[in-house]
Amino acid sequence: MAESLINLSKQNLVITKDISLFAVLLRLLTVVMLSSIIGFERASKRHSAGLRTFILVSFSSCTTMILDLLLMKNTNLHFPILSAFALFSVATVSCRTILYSSRNQIKGLTTAIALWTCALIGLSAGAGLYFICIIEFMMLLGILSYL
């Protein structure tokens, strides 16, 4: 009886052999922290997508990648289909932020690409590729802030 309770508690703490509950929390917290910095930078400049938008985009991308990893591990799914749909959805939402002004100027293109890149940061963090995630974040923040 005691052994079955111990095994049950171990199963609840470890989602799969490769992704533990701690790893999931670390991935989600990392992506929320990084995307909030980017979102704050965009919101401080009064752009159409701000803090909550960037957090939600990267959080949902990270979550879909984690779910894809679990589905690929536990089923015969060989392609991260949820992540592909999430990236397509973010691209669709990003396109909606692009506007044409009265002077035939394009506005919102940088915000759209930043949203899409933030989704890629979420996907790489969800896959556990922290080094790529940090490099993407630093480059995106540098481009948005200094160029």
Side-chain angles (χ1 to χ4, degrees), residues 56-111:
L56 288 173
V57 163
S58 61
F59 183 79
S60 62
S61 297
C62 183
T63 304
T64 57
M65 180 54 83
I66 292 169
L67 289 174
D68 270 339
L69 291 174
L70 292 173
L71 286 173
M72 290 189 307
K73 180 82 173 170
N74 297 325
T75 64
N76 61 357
L77 185 67
H78 301 292
F79 183 73
I81 195 77
L82 292 175
S83 299
F85 284 133
L87 203 55
F88 178 73
S89 300
V90 169
T92 304
V93 169
S94 296
C95 288
R96 306 276 179 186
T97 63
I98 301 171
L99 302 170
Y100 292 100
S101 69
S102 60
R103 295 186 228 163
N104 291 330
Q105 293 178 337
I106 298 174
K107 293 193 177 251
L109 187 60
T110 304
T111 302

Side-chain angles (χ1 to χ4, degrees), residues 34 36-42 45 117 121 134-147:
L34 296 178
S36 64
I37 294 170
I38 294 170
F40 180 75
E41 191 276 335
R42 299 307 282 170
K45 294 182 179 178
T117 307
I121 290 172
I134 298 295
I135 295 298
E136 285 175 323
F137 164 74
M138 290 188 325
M139 291 185 76
L140 178 62
L141 189 63
I143 289 167
L144 292 175
S145 298
Y146 302 113
L147 292 181

Side-chain angles (χ1 to χ4, degrees), residues 25-35 121 125 130 133-134:
L25 289 175
L26 179 65
R27 292 172 188 190
L28 291 173
L29 289 174
T30 300
V31 80
V32 166
M33 183 184 67
L34 296 178
S35 61
I121 290 172
Y130 296 108
C133 179
I134 298 295

